[in-house]
């Protein structure tokens, strides 16, 4: 489905993509033409006027040539003004969502994405959207600067703490596309990945309806949330160390804390570590977990605790 992109650009999967690419290729070909022209002339003249034995003639200075000077001022001026106008128009377009755009709230934290829908659904890592409909993202960060980037949509915008920024797009084909964080934001920056899942309108509505617990057990729902809420980014479930301690065998273990004391990892400890992560820091790990999980609904917290309990040895 769709094109696979070119050597320079990934496939085009949004309405903006073609316009951004035209601008890119305009700048690209101008650069190629000037590069070849300037370097070509330089090589040609270096060869043509090379020093020959027996020739000691020093050329006369060239007289002023007004037309040439005007040309190298006016032509580049026209070109850069053209690039500016083109780019500025595209920038404005990217910032002005149509009034009927579907609103989604984006929260960035080190180092994960979270997407919240008008019906209360909140999900990490995966941004689900309908095809052929304008989607408006209102974005903010819980900590440092991040930047939201979907190459296939040619959409990129900074995500700041204490301030909302917004961007919009209209996906033109069903499929899955990468989300990158494109502002260096610390140790986990390169792992701050996500996916846009573009559905048909009907599939999207079905997904939105079924995005809660449904008939899953708390353990099963907790496992889904473990991925959706990005716990997976820092906490493994197979014993391997990450940014944070592994969850494998956590329940019932005696955790060695940074202040030298230890604590039995029971339900209360696990719940508190989710909602108030900096209260007790496990020895050997940085206090890197955001406090944002305190806002999860109670049944989701219960499900996460149940899932972590199920990972006991
Ligand atoms: Cu977030 Cu880089």
């Amino acid at each position: 489905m769709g094109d696979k992109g070119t050597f320079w650009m990934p496939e085009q999967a949004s309405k903006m993509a073609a316009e951004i690419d035209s601008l890119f290729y305009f700048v690209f070909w101008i650069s190629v033409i000037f590069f070849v022209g300037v370097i070509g002339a330089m090589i040609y003249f270096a060869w043509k006027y090379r020093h020959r034995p027996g020739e000691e003639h020093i050329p006369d200075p060239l007289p002023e040539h007004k037309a040439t000077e005007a040309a190298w001022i006016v032509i580049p001026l026209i070109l850069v003004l053209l690039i500016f106008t083109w780019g500025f128009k595209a920038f404005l377009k990217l910032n002005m969502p149509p009034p009927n755009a579907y609103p989604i709230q984006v929260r960035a934290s080190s180092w994960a994405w979270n997407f919240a829908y008008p019906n209360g659904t909140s999900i990490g890592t995966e941004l689900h959207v309908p095809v052929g409909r304008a989607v408006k993202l209102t974005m903010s960060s819980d900590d440092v600067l991040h930047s939201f980037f979907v190459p296939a949509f040619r959409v990129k915008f900074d995500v700041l703490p204490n301030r909302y920024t917004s961007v919009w797009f209209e996906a033109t084909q069903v499929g899955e596309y990468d989300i990158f964080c494109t502002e260096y934001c610390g140790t986990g920056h390169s792992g701050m990945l996500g996916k846009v899942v573009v559905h048909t309108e009907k599939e999207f509505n079905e997904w939105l309806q079924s995005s809660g617990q449904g008939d899953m057990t708390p353990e099963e729902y907790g496992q889904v949330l473990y991925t959706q809420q990005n716990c997976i980014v820092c906490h493994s479930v197979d014993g391997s160390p990450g940014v944070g301690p592994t969850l494998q065998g956590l329940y019932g273990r005696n955790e060695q804390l940074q202040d030298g004391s230890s604590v039995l990892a029971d339900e209360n400890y696990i719940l508190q570590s989710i909602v108030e992560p900096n209260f007790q820091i496990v020895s050997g790990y940085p206090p890197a977990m955001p406090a944002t999980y305190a806002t999860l609904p109670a049944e989701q917290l219960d499900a996460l605790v149940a899932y972590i309990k199920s990972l006991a040895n």
Side-chain angles (χ1 to χ4, degrees):
M1 187 183 313
D3 64 314
K4 278 285 149 249
T6 64
F7 178 75
W8 302 105
M9 288 291 196
E11 62 185 311
Q12 300 180 340
S14 87
K15 266 194 159 174
M16 278 299 280
E19 182 174 345
I20 303 286
D21 287 10
S22 314
L23 177 54
F24 169 80
Y25 283 115
F26 181 71
V27 174
F28 175 80
W29 283 115
I30 285 183
S31 307
V32 169
I33 289 164
F34 275 85
F35 178 82
V36 171
V38 171
I39 301 296
M42 192 181 79
I43 292 170
Y44 171 69
F45 288 136
W47 171 80
K48 182 170 182 201
Y49 298 110
R50 69 190 181 280
H51 179 77
R52 292 182 179 87
E55 261 180 29
E56 296 308 329
H57 173 70
I58 294 168
D60 302 326
L62 281 176
E64 189 181 41
H65 199 283
K66 285 243 158 55
T68 310
E69 283 177 22
W72 77 50
I73 292 167
V74 172
I75 294 172
L77 184 70
I78 290 172
L79 289 176
V80 291
L81 283 178
L82 203 63
I83 293 167
F84 168 76
T85 316
W86 198 339
F88 190 60
K89 273 169 88 174
F91 178 79
L92 286 182
K93 227 190 240 179
L94 209 62
N95 274 277
M96 294 194 294
N100 61 343
Y102 184 84
I104 298 174
Q105 205 78 24
V106 179
R107 249 178 38 210
S109 55
S110 298
W111 294 279
W113 299 103
N114 184 278
F115 307 102
Y117 291 78
N119 74 344
T121 295
S122 157
I123 169 174
T125 310
E126 279 184 359
L127 171 60
H128 292 253
V129 297
V131 72
R133 177 155 177 206
V135 171
K136 181 195 177 189
L137 306 179
T138 304
M139 312 188 287
S140 68
S141 164
D142 290 338
D143 38 51
V144 297
L145 260 94
H146 302 275
S147 187
F148 180 87
F149 182 32
V150 182
F153 292 175
R154 313 293 191 272
V155 159
K156 182 196 277 193
F157 219 88
D158 279 6
V159 182
L160 314 172
N162 302 318
R163 185 165 133 192
Y164 291 118
T165 51
S166 78
V167 78
W168 75 281
F169 58 82
E170 182 176 329
T172 51
Q173 48 183 16
V174 171
E176 292 193 2
Y177 307 97
D178 291 320
I179 299 172
F180 295 112
C181 175
T182 182
E183 183 80 57
Y184 182 66
C185 55
T187 316
H189 162 71
S190 60
M192 193 169 164
L193 307 170
K195 266 209 168 3
V196 190
V197 184
V198 181
H199 301 275
T200 61
E201 184 86 34
K202 181 168 163 287
E203 272 175 17
F204 173 72
N205 287 323
E206 283 167 9
W207 172 83
L208 205 54
Q209 298 301 319
S210 67
S211 55
Q213 180 168 1
D215 50 10
M216 283 183 265
T217 66
E219 288 83 5
E220 287 167 348
Y221 187 37
Q223 185 168 15
V224 171
L225 291 169
Y226 166 74
T227 308
Q228 282 187 354
Q229 293 299 336
N230 299 311
C231 316
I232 192 169
V233 175
C234 299
H235 300 280
S236 78
V237 292
D238 60 3
S240 56
V243 175
T246 182
L247 302 179
Q248 188 193 50
L250 171 63
Y251 180 69
R253 184 162 72 198
N254 261 306
E255 284 288 66
Q256 213 57 45
L257 301 180
Q258 217 166 41
D259 62 8
S261 64
S262 71
V263 60
L264 174 71
D266 59 5
E267 287 102 330
N268 288 315
Y269 167 80
I270 292 169
L271 178 62
Q272 186 167 35
S273 298
I274 297 171
V275 299
E276 211 181 330
N278 291 326
F279 182 62
Q280 290 166 311
I281 298 295
V282 175
S283 164
Y285 291 97
M289 181 162 158
T292 48
Y293 301 102
T295 59
L296 290 181
E299 68 269 18
Q300 296 196 2
L301 290 169
D302 291 346
L304 280 167
V305 173
Y307 171 59
I308 293 168
K309 271 178 74 176
S310 75
L311 300 169
N313 287 324

